[in-house]
Every structure is written in structure tokens, then in C-alpha cells.
Amino acid sequence: MSVLLAFCVGLAQPAAAQPAKTDTTFSAQWQVHLQQDGHGTDARGAQWLVLLGGLGGPDGVATAQDKVSWPADGNGVYRIDSTLTPRGLLAVLLRKLHWLRSAGGEVRDGRPEMLWASDQRGDRPATHLRIEQGRMQVTTAGHAASAAAAPEQPAPPGLTDPLTLTWGFLQRPLPTRPFTVPLLINDEVQTAHITPQHTTLQWQGKDVACTLLDGRSEQSSATLRIWLRQSDGVPLQVILGMSDRYGLDVVQTLTANPEGLSALHRQGATLSP
């Protein structure tokens, strides 16, 4: 009888609660400088902008903050919000440098899949991209975008953006071989050829072992270079090619280690991106 009673009581008990998935949220702070690459078509304008950028001093012309929400176990939803803000008096002179970007999607086994992104620079209207059922829709201020990024077209497999590419190696081994990805650059989908290189970066007074992702666009002169710390995949520096006319690069350097990264679990993914 006691066995039967215990069995019935067991049936009445609620099922054991499954552990809730946890997200790790952290903020990354960056210093932003301008540097001339020597390939601009307007040399005088470039020199003026570099001189203007020098007024920012060692703290740079702007600050940037990335707010990142990432699944701790490498499976779940992610979101990245990035804000670049000109400093002091330069906020008026370089108002076009004010830049808001966001990206989000789903992470599976440490590998992020971008499903939406947005981009707004200066006073320009924001451009939004969303991928649903394998097709992407691009809108600007609520209206269909230009033919360069025509709405309702098939989304290239593996489409990503600079934010997702920058933070997307936190939970998996860093790449060792060149790879090609469709990359959202300047509101357009371009083919980016990325070459990983083992190198060191002078960061906070020390030489840090990094993997440099050197990205070049097939359709334009756009460039994206990301220094990932080899020990954990944290991006320490990002350089974005800014303009063919002025030949300027936007250089973002991480100011400190973001808190909260220890909650992320490293995955045993393959080396291919």
C-alpha cells in the first residue's frame, strides 16, 4: 500500500523544472581615431580631416559603445547595439560620424546567424534589413530601399554584418584559412574575402597574440580589419575603411576587457567559419 501511495504522490508532483537558458550581457567601450591610408582621391580634404581628427588628442575623435547580449551556452538569441559618438566640439563638426548600428539573430553551437540589422549615420534615415524564410527585406525610413539593395530578394546563405563578424568568435575556435562571406557593407550586400593572419597587437602596453581578419570587398574598395585576441576571441581593434574620396579609416580600439565574458562557455566547433 505504501508503495502504491508513493507512486500516486509522485505522479501528482510537477515535473522537475528545466534549467532556464541564460544570456550574458556586457558593454564594450572603444576609443575612435581617424587615420589616413594614403589612397584617397581628395588629398587636400583628407589632410584637413586628419588635422581635424588630431584635435581629439590621445582620446580620439569619438567614443563608441557596443552593448552585447549573447547566450551563455552558445545556443539562443543574440543582439548587438553599437553607438559611435563624436567627442566635445567635434560632435558638431563631425556630426556625420555619429553612427548607430544594430544586429541580431540566433546562435547555434556558438555560430551566429544574422536575421536582422539596422544602420544610421548622421542625419540620414535608418536602413533596416530583415531576413524571413530565406528572403531579405530592406527598408529605409519605412520605404523600400534602392535597387542596390532591392527588397524581397533571396538572402545569400551566411549573410552577416560587421558587428556580427566582430563578436561572432567568442565561443568557437578562430579561423585559420581564408574564407568568403556575403557582408552587409554601406547598406549593400557585398562579397568579402577574409584572410586570417596570426599577428600581435600592441594593446594596453603589451603585445597580445591575435588573429587578424583582413577583409576586402569584391565590389568596392571597402575594407574591414578585425584583431581577435587568440585566447578568447575578444575583438581588441577594428578598422573600417571610411571613404574612397578621403582615404580615411575609422580605427576603434577596445579600452578595457568587458566584464561578464567569463559566463560564456567555449564551444568545440570546427575551425571553418
Side-chain angles (χ1 to χ4, degrees):
M1 184 69 179
S2 58
V3 174
L4 179 61
L5 179 61
F7 177 75
C8 293
V9 170
L11 290 179
Q13 296 297 321
Q18 296 295 322
K21 286 185 175 294
T22 58
D23 293 337
T24 298
T25 302
F26 58 89
S27 294
Q29 311 294 331
W30 308 81
Q31 284 184 343
V32 183
H33 294 80
L34 296 179
Q35 73 178 21
Q36 189 175 2
D37 63 16
H39 300 296
T41 58
D42 185 349
R44 179 173 297 180
Q47 291 174 358
W48 182 84
L49 285 175
V50 169
L51 176 62
L52 181 62
L55 297 177
D59 293 332
V61 299
T63 60
Q65 181 185 60
D66 290 352
K67 294 183 178 180
V68 182
S69 177
W70 206 267
D73 66 354
N75 291 281
V77 175
Y78 81 93
R79 180 186 179 110
I80 309 168
D81 295 295
S82 180
T83 303
L84 189 151
T85 306
R87 296 178 55 250
L89 294 176
L90 297 178
V92 177
L93 298 174
L94 296 176
R95 62 184 182 277
K96 289 185 178 181
L97 194 59
H98 190 269
W99 196 3
L100 302 175
R101 295 178 293 161
S102 295
E106 185 175 358
V107 182
R108 299 176 182 174
D109 295 328
R111 189 184 304 271
E113 177 187 359
M114 188 193 73
L115 297 177
W116 63 269
S118 66
D119 187 299
Q120 181 179 17
R121 302 189 193 188
D123 299 330
R124 288 174 34 186
T127 298
H128 304 277
L129 178 144
R130 184 168 296 276
I131 300 174
E132 294 181 353
Q133 298 181 347
R135 302 187 69 83
M136 63 181 185
Q137 182 179 22
V138 182
T139 58
T140 300
H143 302 287
S146 64
E152 295 296 342
Q153 62 176 318
L159 177 63
T160 189
D161 77 305
L163 286 177
T164 301
L165 190 62
T166 295
W167 290 102
F169 288 94
L170 290 175
Q171 294 176 299
R172 54 188 174 125
L174 303 184
T176 59
R177 298 184 296 273
F179 59 96
T180 299
V181 293
L183 186 64
L184 193 64
I185 302 176
N186 297 328
D187 302 335
E188 296 182 9
V189 177
Q190 302 186 29
T191 302
H193 301 291
I194 299 178
T195 304
Q197 304 173 24
H198 289 292
T199 186
T200 58
L201 177 72
Q202 183 74 203
W203 187 70
Q204 294 190 340
K206 297 181 180 179
D207 288 332
V208 180
C210 291
T211 292
L212 166 62
L213 302 184
D214 190 352
R216 309 283 168 164
S217 171
E218 190 175 279
Q219 290 81 9
S220 70
S221 61
T223 59
L224 173 63
R225 307 181 77 201
I226 305 170
W227 281 260
L228 302 174
R229 187 163 55 196
Q230 287 187 6
S231 61
D232 55 10
V234 171
L236 299 183
Q237 189 172 82
V238 179
I239 298 183
L240 296 165
M242 180 179 176
S243 170
D244 289 342
R245 177 181 177 184
Y246 299 119
L248 288 180
D249 293 333
V250 178
V251 182
Q252 293 188 194
T253 304
L254 195 68
T255 61
N257 285 310
E259 297 182 1
L261 290 177
S262 60
L264 296 177
H265 307 305
R266 297 281 288 179
Q267 303 293 319
T270 60
L271 291 176
S272 58

